[in-house]
Amino acid sequence: MKTILRYELKIGNSQIIEVPKGSRFLSLKNHETLDIPVFWALVETANEPEDLEILMFASGNNITEDPTSLNYLDTFLYKERYYFHCFVKK
């Protein structure tokens, strides 16, 4: 079944999120009620799971990974003060 699912993220440098293979990223925002970053993906729930490594870098901080190994997802504002830029490691 195809559906759109929400995935909660933690503020931090790197985390692994399990999604169905072939999922398509849609959007990433700070969830105002939960006060956490979340992203939405179009998924096929019958597909096997795969791990995505999500990396976050705050504006002005060093990027510790080779930029050519990253796919940009989105940027979000956290606590009305901090901008985080999110990537998926290829």
Side-chain angles (χ1 to χ4, degrees):
M1 172 179 83
K2 287 193 187 268
T3 191
I4 296 172
L5 295 179
R6 181 184 81 192
Y7 296 88
E8 297 178 358
L9 299 174
K10 296 176 183 158
I11 298 294
N13 293 337
S14 175
Q15 58 200 290
I16 304 295
I17 302 293
E18 187 178 272
V19 300
K21 284 185 181 178
S23 295
R24 192 172 113 208
F25 169 80
L26 298 174
S27 180
L28 187 149
K29 303 282 184 227
N30 188 54
H31 192 290
E32 292 179 18
T33 305
L34 300 174
D35 200 26
I36 59 171
V38 298
F39 76 90
W40 291 265
L42 177 63
V43 305
E44 172 57 66
T45 57
N47 288 357
E48 294 284 323
E50 69 176 341
D51 289 338
L52 294 182
E53 184 175 2
I54 308 288
L55 299 153
M56 281 187 203
F57 303 102
S59 292
N61 287 1
N62 290 334
I63 296 178
T64 56
E65 299 285 330
D66 174 5
T68 61
S69 71
L70 305 174
N71 285 330
Y72 175 73
L73 291 177
D74 212 340
T75 295
F76 68 94
L77 177 63
Y78 183 66
K79 299 222 180 256
E80 298 181 15
R81 185 173 178 193
Y82 305 102
Y83 283 94
F84 285 91
H85 312 280
C86 296
F87 299 82
V88 171
K89 194 164 188 178
K90 294 179 188 175

